[in-house]
Amino acid sequence: MHGKNLILWLTCLSFFMAGSRLQAVSADFQDLTHWSNTFQQWRHYRIILPAGYETSGKRYPVVYYFHGHSSRYCGEPYGDGQQVSLPAMIDYVKSHDVIAVRWDGYVEKNYSSFYSGSPYDIQPEDGEMDFGPYFLELVAHIDSTFRTVADRQHRATCGLSMGGFMSLYLAGRYPDIVGSASSYNPGHEFWVGAPGSRVLYYLKDHVRNNYHQKIRLIRNSGDYISQYHLGLNEVYSRTPEVDYCFRQEEYHRHWVNGLAETLDFHMQAFADKSLADLPRSFDHDNAWPRFSLWGWNVEVGGKKPGYVCLRDAQFGYLRVFTRAWAPDGPAVEGQSLHIATPDSYGNAKAYRVMDYSHRDRSVNFYEVRSSREGRLSFVLDGAGHDIAVLNGQEARAPVLLPLGQDEEPVVFPDRTLHLPLRFINTCGVTVHGLRFSLSSEYPTVSLEGAEVEVDSLAPGQIVDLSDRFSQSFVSTDGDMAHCRLNVHVTWKGWYGQDYRVDVRVLPSPLAAPDSALVFDGRGLSLPVFRQRGNQGGGSVYQRTVEEGRGNGNGIAEPGEEVTIWVRTPQGLDPLDKGTWHRAKVFCPDGAVTVCGDIAEPKELEWTSVQDHTSRLLISPSTALGSTVELALKNESYCYFWQPDQRYGKELLLQAFQFHRNHCTRMNLQIGER
């Protein structure tokens, strides 16, 4: 046995010894299986090795590719069986020092055939198979079986559609494992978390999970869900903590195009030594009952649907809170957070801790002692806490406290506002010579208030500057607009710290809805629009609505839970006329509480994105006859279809899916029609 035959025999032998089973081998790739302890079954993957792998002795970076819906590790059976990403990937790996692994998102109960099913177990009724731990298991298997550069800098994810979602989601779930991620035309919202505590994960609400990574989003110009890609691009683009790039491919299908350029992006990331560095601080949202990253360990007792949110986690400081839903849900009640820091605090040392409670705005001081491994441990509720270790901390900038439940609050235009700008000293010494200033580069923002000087701020002391600065915003009609304010803090005369304050400005003019209904336990039949399908059109049908909790008289009264429906004279689709929509509600003055997020699939829209609307709680203490100012938002949808539209000589067979936000203003009368 000589030459290539001997090499192939030895390679196959090594697969068996490493726990892999060789299923198929070709000149271009190998189809293998390995035993998964996570799923207790054999799992498939396809691996593409670079030219000369058998003899080079070198180690290689790895790109993990995530297939989309109705597909598997072998390739996408799109366009009459055309393979799109696989040939391009094979050609690229032949001429570059990189390994490509195409993993398998197969979930048996969701597949009717080999190429037909919903992978990754991320639908609302799913959750038994967590592909997060399995991804870690596959990475460990690949690193132990093949010659890889087994570190974060040299590990990447890439995917299409549902696989594009998984690429960004798992890279964000494990930012200490993955250094770069790319996504082609991703699905944007799916269900994550353990059974019984699942919650929707909308990519644009969690871009902070990709802090300190390199991210590439690719949108095909003719992709049918392009509007969502543009929205995600907008959020990434204004997030400086993410090293981000966007590419539009002139291509008319929901496929992979220009793969070589994306793999070039990952090769450049593999050469970026900054990806080998630990971040000084990080943010993270996680829906699972336990997780670990960057040396921190978090476990949730009594886990319920929702997120644990870490902000600016670093040596000596952490902000942590929970959200029943992202991005603006209330805290999750009835669960405990068990948090252990990295092992940076020495053996059995005592530390003085400052604990600021978001719920009651109180500051407490107490002592904790590090473990033998050097970890500090805390048991907290999920209402929100700023935890600061005071021992040995030099003077640093005061921390801007949360502006409210929503990290990006909604504000009315054309009025003078005083955003709640409050700062707390989280270091162990009094800070002297403080100066605070507020600015914005947005021409639609007007600010008043001179620079504020504060002589000193003791440990745990709070200074409230809300009334020292005022803000006003102008906007135009249509949808909400994003604006950013910058708060600059200096201390000791020259140290500086900047904080971003992002807000969403309601459109102007903001008219009252054409008509509105309150549901407090009553039922009605309402005309709603239903899309026909991917050739456009649709019709109006009657939907029976019975929701809310109260006496059913259609009047918002103290102690009731209600929903609000509004009538839209003309929806986005030409055939959508005079139909009713449940509204998402914003109450900037906090007079009523949004107590529930109602997530429903959009009418026949093929994306994964849900229609999010609100359930309101009218406080029992609300006075009868009082008026509560609300901002309402509802969506209408359209399959934009032109049957004679072409891409070159080829007819476009897929309509574009679009949505439009309709914003209105309502004075809700408590106890009155």
Side-chain angles (χ1 to χ4, degrees), residues 522-586:
R522 67 169 169 170
L524 291 173
S525 178
L526 301 176
V528 300
F529 180 72
R530 183 173 181 83
Q531 298 176 114
R532 185 175 63 195
N534 67 340
Q535 274 75 49
S539 60
V540 176
Y541 76 101
Q542 292 296 123
R543 174 180 173 179
T544 300
V545 178
E546 186 173 347
E547 57 194 30
R549 188 171 64 187
N551 59 20
N553 64 359
I555 301 172
E557 297 179 273
E560 292 187 333
E561 289 187 5
V562 305
T563 62
I564 297 174
W565 286 66
V566 297
R567 195 172 80 98
T568 301
Q570 178 62 64
L572 182 58
D573 193 285
L575 301 176
D576 182 5
K577 298 180 184 296
T579 55
W580 288 83
H581 307 257
R582 189 191 299 109
K584 183 172 177 62
V585 181
F586 305 92

Side-chain angles (χ1 to χ4, degrees), residues 297-469:
N297 295 322
V298 178
E299 185 168 348
V300 185
K303 184 70 174 73
K304 298 179 180 180
Y307 290 95
V308 176
C309 305
L310 308 181
R311 297 291 180 267
D312 202 18
Q314 59 181 282
F315 179 76
Y317 175 77
L318 168 71
R319 173 171 294 164
V320 59
F321 54 90
T322 61
R323 287 283 177 264
W325 63 84
D328 54 1
V332 183
E333 300 292 341
Q335 59 183 23
S336 58
L337 307 182
H338 302 249
I339 300 174
T341 71
D343 54 356
S344 307
Y345 293 91
N347 179 4
K349 290 187 177 181
Y351 289 88
R352 185 169 180 250
V353 170
M354 184 213 78
D355 183 343
Y356 170 76
S357 169
H358 295 186
R359 170 172 286 162
D360 55 21
R361 296 190 174 187
S362 64
V363 177
N364 294 300
F365 296 91
Y366 51 83
E367 183 180 286
V368 296
R369 187 171 294 274
S370 61
S371 67
R372 290 187 299 174
E373 296 80 17
R375 297 179 180 273
L376 300 181
S377 296
F378 302 92
V379 179
L380 306 167
D381 60 48
H385 294 264
D386 280 46
I387 301 293
V389 180
L390 303 182
N391 301 49
Q393 292 296 313
E394 296 181 357
R396 60 188 179 196
V399 172
L400 176 63
L401 289 169
L403 273 67
Q405 182 171 298
D406 193 343
E407 293 182 275
E408 191 172 313
V410 173
V411 299
F412 282 98
D414 308 318
R415 60 181 67 176
T416 299
L417 305 172
H418 295 276
L419 293 174
L421 302 177
R422 303 166 59 248
F423 297 83
I424 186 171
N425 178 9
T426 61
C427 61
V429 297
T430 298
V431 183
H432 297 277
L434 291 161
R435 291 183 297 181
F436 300 84
S437 61
L438 185 64
S439 64
S440 178
E441 297 179 349
Y442 279 73
T444 54
V445 178
S446 297
L447 303 173
E448 292 187 6
E451 183 178 77
V452 176
E453 296 186 1
V454 176
D455 290 337
S456 63
L457 206 62
Q461 186 178 355
I462 296 171
V463 58
D464 190 341
L465 305 180
S466 305
D467 292 334
R468 303 294 295 272
F469 298 104

